[in-house]
Amino acid sequence: MSAAAEAAASPPGVLRAPLVVEFPFTRSLGPVQSAFLTGLRERVVLGVRTTAGQVMVPPVEYDPVTAEEIRELVQVATTGTVTTWAWNDHPRPNQPLDSPFAWALVRLDGADTALLHALDAPGPDAVRTGMRVRIRWAAQRTGAITDIACFEPHEGPADPQGAPHDGAFAEPVTGIVAEARLDYTYSPGRAQTAYINALSERRTVGERCPSCHKVYVPPRGACPTCGVATTDRVEVGPAGTVTTYCVVNIKARNLDIEVPYVYAHIALDGADLALHGRIGGIPYDQVRMGLRVEPVWTEGGRYPDHYRPTGEPDADYDAYKELI
Ligand SMILES: [Zn+2]
């Protein structure tokens, strides 16, 4: 980014920081994907035959045309042909190769569809559509797409292909954890910068729409209804009302909170938009709509750790029904 663009992206006083959104996605595989990934562990590439007789690699569980379940596995070659590609000059962390490489669609011999993977080549001049390539296997294989380390140029004959395969392997892989990770440089903008700075003083500041007079917390800088900028800062809370909630029964990795617990929408007093937070200090099955709560801060915390009951009588439904 140029210095000018950098300045435009971060006006003076507006916060800017790295933001990583990361979650592990755990999925079971089913018979076709299980055979495919277990096969990779054993250096065997399996496709699936569609109702019309095409061989799809990577395989899918349902025919893309008829939607019928398909199970007929076919072993294809580890050699193939590049059908299209793009050069990646700046590999990012955790990509298949550390040095520049091509992302390529490779139609393996015996397959009718192409598989996306990395192609190790000295430069873009060494890559062309139609070039012959071969799988380079990873030294350590676990039953994952990364068992294919990458493709590499190949001059020799094609591998044998097309043999039916029953998909049976010892110790099949039945589930995978796919790590999803997005790296951002995030600037919250003028309105949320003020909101975050106020939180550092344990105050909650929203912004009022000059047209409809709603107070948005957290503020987004504009009223989504009226389409005008919100400039009038308003301190709200600290107490508020639970407008709706859910009971969380699944423990998240890296989150040291015992389940079950309650996560709620909370309309702070004076706000016309509910924010969300965890409810503590009360058994999870006693949390209710209308419960009056207040923030609980921890030492050094930049936002409330959770909200706890204030002990006041519950709010009337009419007082918060527009904020659910
Ligand atoms: Zn408005």
Side-chain angles (χ1 to χ4, degrees):
M1 190 183 289
S2 72
E6 184 87 26
S10 296
V14 172
L15 297 172
R16 184 178 171 87
L19 173 69
V20 177
V21 178
E22 189 173 35
F23 57 92
F25 181 67
T26 304
R27 62 163 288 185
S28 58
L29 290 172
V32 172
Q33 302 291 337
S34 171
F36 175 64
L37 292 180
T38 310
L40 295 183
R41 189 188 68 199
E42 308 302 324
R43 303 190 195 206
V44 169
V45 185
L46 297 178
V48 69
R49 196 180 297 283
T50 67
T51 313
Q54 284 203 319
V55 175
M56 300 191 71
V57 178
V60 294
E61 293 101 338
Y62 296 93
D63 190 297
V65 176
T66 67
E68 282 178 70
E69 188 174 353
I70 47 179
R71 290 282 186 92
E72 187 186 341
L73 299 171
V74 180
Q75 183 172 351
V76 300
T78 61
T79 52
T81 303
V82 172
T83 64
T84 191
W85 58 280
W87 189 252
N88 178 15
D89 246 330
H90 301 287
R92 295 172 62 78
N94 300 321
Q95 286 194 333
L97 295 169
D98 295 333
S99 53
F101 63 90
W103 287 113
L105 279 172
V106 176
R107 187 170 51 74
L108 292 169
D109 299 325
D112 294 293
T113 60
L115 171 77
L116 176 68
H117 217 297
L119 168 60
D120 188 8
D125 292 344
V127 184
R128 61 185 171 78
T129 295
M131 76 183 284
R132 296 284 295 160
V133 294
R134 172 176 217 153
I135 289 175
R136 180 191 299 160
W137 294 104
Q140 303 288 330
R141 294 182 307 283
T142 59
I145 193 64
T146 46
D147 290 354
I148 298 175
C150 63
F151 284 91
E152 59 191 13
H154 177 62
E155 300 291 339
D159 273 358
Q161 60 191 266
H165 196 289
D166 64 7
F169 295 96
E171 297 178 40
V173 177
T174 57
I176 57 170
V177 179
E179 303 282 351
R181 179 186 167 109
L182 300 167
D183 282 275
Y184 294 95
T185 299
Y186 182 69
S187 174
R190 174 192 56 79
Q192 285 198 77
T193 291
Y195 171 76
I196 291 168
N197 285 337
L199 279 180
S200 70
E201 301 165 359
R202 302 195 173 182
R203 297 184 302 116
T204 303
V205 171
E207 290 193 350
R208 178 181 281 125
C209 172
S211 176
C212 69
H213 307 297
K214 279 188 174 173
V215 174
Y216 291 100
V217 184
R220 304 296 185 202
C223 175
T225 307
C226 306
V228 297
T230 54
T231 51
D232 184 12
R233 297 220 167 108
V234 181
E235 184 164 345
V236 300
T241 300
V242 171
T243 63
T244 187
Y245 65 94
C246 67
V247 179
V248 179
N249 284 292
I250 298 171
K251 194 163 176 56
R253 199 170 66 172
N254 301 333
L255 201 57
D256 188 24
I257 302 172
E258 288 305 315
V259 294
Y261 65 88
V262 171
Y263 212 67
H265 275 203
I266 300 156
L268 297 180
D269 296 343
D272 292 295
L273 184 70
L275 48 70
H276 43 82
R278 183 168 62 89
I279 306 297
I282 179 173
Y284 73 92
D285 56 358
Q286 292 180 25
V287 176
R288 53 201 180 267
M289 293 169 72
L291 181 70
R292 296 283 297 157
V293 293
E294 62 189 2
V296 177
W297 297 82
T298 51
E299 190 61 39
R302 290 294 305 257
Y303 50 87
D305 178 69
H306 64 275
Y307 291 78
R308 68 182 173 206
T310 63
E312 299 166 89
D314 285 1
D316 282 339
Y317 178 67
D318 283 346
Y320 62 86
K321 67 181 181 184
E322 301 296 330
L323 302 175
I324 294 173

